[in-house]
Amino acid sequence: MPTALITGASAGLGAEFARQLARRRADLILVARSADALEQLATELRGEYGVAVEVLPADLADAAGVESVAARLRDTADPVDLLVNNAGFGLPLRFADNDIEDEVRHLRVHVEASMRLMHAALQSMRGRGGRILNVASVAGFISRSTYSACKSWLIGFSRWANAEYARDGVSVTALCPGFTHTSFHERMGLAVGEEGVPGFMWLNARDVVRTGLRDAARGKSVSIPSLRYKAIVALTRVLPSSLTSGVARRGRV
């Protein structure tokens, strides 16, 4: 059976990745800060699908937490076949008003932790084969505070790594959803309907994950779920950044 390691697995897209992969009979390693939430999900998946589920609590804003996950990825005796870098959180868009330590922690989770875990996974995947799926965002194509900057880095690095390590049997895919109904926005203090985003712009988590897994299996470097967001990304290539940035400021998320 293949083994998948998923960060940010306790809720949202991470939990949906876990459920869809368990349905495909993959064994799982679930990573998040909350051990209780992970154990609850692990119990559900073991009972419903009969797969092996390992729980690995870790805070990816902390160096020791990242290293504990990296060590598991480097383990060649019990190798990981799929890494899903999904952990992340959002901050208000007004960078100068945010606490700088929150911004640094945001950068560590979205960029540094993802980079370190990719590096660790490649140590055991090269030559053997494997997949890395980095959850980025359509925001990575639009100037929208530090969240966009982090996701832009993840997209660019995934594109390069997918080409570079294809010869070693490893694919790297950046999954770039738009606004998706998960607990992500609730953790920012925004109740459903108060995000400042039109209803037609929202995606379903099941569809996002299904598309990401499909495109990763096809070896695509970038996966953009839904035609509406593919069109938006295409527009960002021709419209001036001053215009796209102005539009992006209108939402609260």
Side-chain angles (χ1 to χ4, degrees):
M1 291 294 180
T3 298
L5 186 149
I6 307 163
T7 69
S10 59
L13 288 177
E16 183 61 29
F17 271 110
R19 291 189 175 97
Q20 291 197 26
L21 287 165
R23 197 173 299 128
R24 300 178 187 198
R25 297 296 187 266
D27 292 333
L28 302 172
I29 305 164
L30 306 181
V31 177
R33 289 182 299 170
S34 173
D36 290 343
L38 290 179
E39 289 290 358
Q40 183 176 350
L41 178 59
T43 299
E44 171 196 328
L45 298 176
R46 292 180 190 121
E48 186 165 355
Y49 301 107
V51 297
V53 184
E54 180 182 340
V55 167
L56 181 52
D59 183 352
L60 297 186
D62 176 74
V66 174
E67 177 52 31
S68 68
V69 182
R72 180 63 184 84
L73 288 165
R74 290 191 295 264
D75 184 359
T76 56
D78 188 9
V80 171
D81 305 288
L82 168 64
L83 165 63
V84 180
N85 269 322
N86 169 74
F89 62 96
L91 292 172
L93 298 179
R94 298 185 181 277
F95 169 72
D97 296 328
N98 291 341
D99 186 297
I100 190 60
E101 293 306 319
D102 288 341
E103 289 284 2
V104 170
R105 188 165 63 91
H106 182 261
L107 185 69
R108 284 176 180 157
V109 172
H110 286 271
V111 175
E112 182 180 348
S114 295
M115 179 180 67
R116 288 183 179 275
L117 297 186
M118 287 176 67
H119 187 271
L122 285 165
Q123 305 308 300
S124 65
M125 288 182 180
R126 283 189 300 178
R128 178 177 62 86
R131 294 175 189 157
I132 297 173
L133 203 164
N134 295 317
V135 179
S137 171
V138 164
F141 299 98
I142 303 169
S143 297
R144 201 166 193 255
S145 194
T146 49
Y147 183 79
S148 289
C150 289
K151 296 306 186 182
S152 179
W153 181 90
L154 200 55
I155 293 166
F157 192 70
S158 297
R159 279 176 165 155
W160 170 82
N162 191 55
E164 177 70 15
Y165 295 105
R167 70 194 76 177
D168 296 312
V170 182
S171 68
V172 182
T173 303
L175 173 60
C176 303
F179 296 110
T180 305
H181 282 300
T182 67
S183 58
F184 179 89
H185 303 100
E186 293 177 22
R187 294 198 300 271
M188 294 177 65
L190 299 173
V192 175
E194 297 180 4
E195 308 94 345
V197 179
F200 73 90
M201 296 294 289
W202 290 95
L203 301 177
N204 181 285
R206 288 189 299 274
D207 296 335
V208 168
V209 169
R210 188 180 302 114
T211 300
L213 291 174
R214 181 198 67 200
D215 288 345
R218 293 174 177 175
K220 295 183 67 173
S221 61
V222 177
S223 172
I224 303 173
S226 92
L227 290 174
R228 79 200 81 156
Y229 279 107
K230 285 184 171 72
I232 289 171
V233 170
L235 283 173
T236 65
R237 299 190 182 110
V238 297
L239 295 176
S241 59
S242 58
L243 177 60
T244 58
S245 296
V247 172
R249 282 197 298 269
R250 293 179 184 177
R252 295 181 60 202
V253 293

